[in-house]
Amino acid sequence: MGQERLGSFGLATPPARKAIPADEAIALLKRGEAKAGSLLGYGNGRSYGDSCQNDTGMVVDMRPLNRIRSFNAETGVLEADAGTLLCDIIAHGAPYGFFPAVVPGTQFVTLGGAIANDVHGKNHHRRGTFGCHVEALTLLRSDGRTYRCSATDNVRLFAATIGGMGLTGLILSASIKLMRVPSLDTTEKATRFRDLGEFFDLAEAADRANEYAVAWIDQLAGGHGRGRGLLFTGNHAEHGSHAAARAGSRLSVPLQPPFNVLNRPFLTVFNTAYRWKKGKSAAPHQTGYQGFFFPLDGVRDWNRLYGPRGLFQHQSVVPEANARHIVPALLEAGRRAGQGSFLTVLKRFGDVRSPALLSFPRPGYTLTLDFPNRGERTLRLLAELDRIVVEAGGAVNPYKDARMGPETFAASFPQWQRLEALRDPAFISSFWARTAKRLEIGEGRAEAAE
């Protein structure tokens, strides 16, 4: 079990020091012998920060638990072990005309990880988060008991586990409802916009007319090109493939370079070329699902291009009423700091409520920025982005984070104490230790699990 395999995707935080196989952790929990703060479930390490790490204890490698247990081809309800990868779920449902209702930007996340982080995709305006489509889950806690959790059974644990970042116990399996689709392929359209004002004028109508919508921003463009980008919309094609493509890619970054390859000159050239290539035609065209949903999966270990210090990802959401001046302010802060973002994505969140107690998506606009780790310079920029977001009434995404302060977390998630009350004492993450555990806990700490 290699150290590198048990790291986080951002590479800016140290990999797990200790790990334990899933079967050993399950036996330990069932015997009631797990010590306080000793465990944390680990999926496939696609979180960017330390929400998947436990510096003071051990992570539990869940990937061997990857069996699809059942699938109802009439209803689309699939039950699988928590370590099952999303790509395998896609492949299983595809021949029957089903696709996950919500997918994040990579297919290499585990089912348990998708639930624990309540991930979202390009269609939040229609389908909400991944947690909206969880029918039930089984959770093993350090009292030795296995809980079946759903909207009617162990309701508080159900809500706390979805989006609970693995802190309520070990998710063993889950049932999710897939979405019926005419094909896996998508009909994609790219629309150029000159600036952010034009994007905001287009965004709501794009959401109403399409299942999927997301914008790419040329974060480095200045002058008359400031805020320019491409709005991608998509819908499942009526006549397309029902066969899942082979997951993975022949392209890879086999070695980590000794420096950051994705520097400003490279990004300037890349952004210009990308905008020209993707935006040269406004006509809709049919494309495969992997290219539309998971473009970065096309190059294995692409995160290594950031060099040995890795990257920080900053994802925030701000209320719709403030977005027209806050999003430009965030982009300007990056330019002012001389920091270029390789991937800059802007999406509109809808008002579909998640069953999760703590869920990052909420109505408004979400901006994602990737910055190479340049030490204090980058940390100062990220703190400034936090300040802008919090003062605007927004939130910072915890499972993309590796350094936010406790106050930013509390402002983003004012109900965090309710999760702390239901947290299994044997489970903690490095993220939770440096944020929630440093905050003063109010009275009423002990909210019993059902």
Side-chain angles (χ1 to χ4, degrees), residues 123-243:
N123 60 345
H124 184 272
H125 57 284
R126 289 199 176 181
R127 311 291 171 181
T129 63
F130 195 89
C132 294
H133 308 278
V134 176
E135 301 275 292
L137 59 89
T138 55
L139 184 72
L140 177 61
R141 287 170 62 89
S142 61
D143 59 8
R145 295 175 58 192
T146 299
Y147 295 81
R148 184 186 187 279
C149 305
S150 69
T152 56
D153 298 314
N154 295 306
V155 177
R156 285 183 295 169
L157 271 180
F158 184 64
T161 301
I162 298 173
M165 294 180 283
L167 299 172
T168 60
L170 203 60
I171 302 173
L172 299 180
S173 64
S175 296
I176 59 171
K177 188 174 179 61
L178 305 185
M179 174 174 67
R180 189 177 290 279
V181 294
S183 77
L184 297 187
D185 293 344
T186 59
T187 300
E188 178 188 58
K189 181 180 180 182
T191 303
R192 290 188 181 217
F193 53 86
R194 294 183 297 266
D195 52 36
L196 288 172
E198 188 173 4
F199 163 76
F200 286 117
D201 291 341
L202 294 169
E204 188 172 352
D207 281 358
R208 284 198 303 268
N210 297 282
E211 177 71 32
Y212 304 104
V214 63
W216 167 84
I217 308 292
D218 184 352
Q219 184 255 345
L220 293 179
H224 294 301
R226 186 164 296 181
R228 70 185 182 186
L230 298 167
L231 173 61
F232 296 101
T233 54
N235 298 280
H236 286 278
E238 289 299 323
H239 305 286
S241 174
H242 284 85

Side-chain angles (χ1 to χ4, degrees), residues 6-288:
L6 294 169
S8 68
F9 198 72
L11 302 176
T13 55
R17 297 176 183 175
K18 298 178 182 178
I20 184 173
D23 55 353
E24 291 184 23
I26 290 170
L28 190 70
L29 288 164
K30 286 184 174 180
R31 293 196 303 267
E33 297 176 358
K35 296 179 181 178
S38 63
L39 298 174
L40 181 73
Y42 181 94
N44 202 33
R46 291 292 165 143
S47 296
Y48 278 75
D50 55 359
S51 63
C52 62
Q53 298 296 334
N54 183 2
D55 285 346
T56 59
M58 301 179 290
V59 296
V60 182
D61 188 358
M62 297 298 292
R63 287 169 293 186
L65 298 185
N66 58 8
R67 177 169 55 104
I68 294 178
R69 299 183 171 202
S70 64
F71 177 65
N72 187 320
E74 296 296 322
T75 64
V77 174
L78 178 145
E79 182 183 9
D81 292 343
T84 306
L85 291 175
L86 184 61
C87 59
D88 295 326
I89 292 174
I90 291 171
H92 198 89
Y96 304 96
F98 285 95
F99 189 77
V102 173
V103 296
T106 174
Q107 61 190 318
F108 300 122
V109 296
T110 63
L111 175 58
I115 294 170
N117 292 306
D118 197 21
V119 297
H120 58 274
K122 298 176 176 68
N123 60 345
H124 184 272
H125 57 284
R126 289 199 176 181
R127 311 291 171 181
T129 63
F130 195 89
C132 294
H133 308 278
V134 176
E135 301 275 292
L137 59 89
T138 55
L139 184 72
L140 177 61
R141 287 170 62 89
S142 61
D143 59 8
R145 295 175 58 192
T146 299
Y147 295 81
R148 184 186 187 279
C149 305
S150 69
T152 56
D153 298 314
N154 295 306
V155 177
R156 285 183 295 169
L157 271 180
F158 184 64
T161 301
I162 298 173
M165 294 180 283
L167 299 172
T168 60
L170 203 60
I171 302 173
L172 299 180
S173 64
S175 296
I176 59 171
K177 188 174 179 61
L178 305 185
M179 174 174 67
R180 189 177 290 279
V181 294
S183 77
L184 297 187
D185 293 344
T186 59
T187 300
E188 178 188 58
K189 181 180 180 182
T191 303
R192 290 188 181 217
F193 53 86
R194 294 183 297 266
D195 52 36
L196 288 172
E198 188 173 4
F199 163 76
F200 286 117
D201 291 341
L202 294 169
E204 188 172 352
D207 281 358
R208 284 198 303 268
N210 297 282
E211 177 71 32
Y212 304 104
V214 63
W216 167 84
I217 308 292
D218 184 352
Q219 184 255 345
L220 293 179
H224 294 301
R226 186 164 296 181
R228 70 185 182 186
L230 298 167
L231 173 61
F232 296 101
T233 54
N235 298 280
H236 286 278
E238 289 299 323
H239 305 286
S241 174
H242 284 85
R246 175 181 173 273
S249 173
R250 294 177 182 176
L251 297 176
S252 69
V253 181
L255 298 172
Q256 187 174 72
F259 54 87
N260 169 35
V261 175
L262 304 176
N263 51 37
R264 192 179 184 91
F266 171 87
L267 293 179
T268 301
V269 174
F270 174 85
N271 285 356
T272 301
Y274 182 83
R275 183 171 180 269
W276 176 83
K277 181 178 179 181
K278 299 293 286 188
K280 63 182 178 180
S281 173
H285 62 278
Q286 192 161 311
T287 186

Side-chain angles (χ1 to χ4, degrees), residues 324-380:
R324 283 181 179 259
H325 67 275
I326 294 300
V327 171
L330 293 170
L331 295 175
E332 181 58 30
R335 283 192 292 265
R336 199 166 53 242
Q339 301 257 9
S341 168
F342 170 57
L343 183 68
T344 305
V345 174
L346 182 58
K347 292 183 290 195
R348 181 175 175 269
F349 283 153
D351 57 4
V352 182
R353 288 185 60 85
S354 169
L357 180 59
L358 264 63
S359 185
F360 167 69
R362 58 206 72 182
Y365 285 86
T366 177
L367 179 70
T368 302
L369 299 155
D370 284 354
F371 297 109
N373 178 12
R374 295 192 173 100
E376 281 301 317
R377 284 178 56 199
T378 308
L379 293 174
R380 285 195 300 270

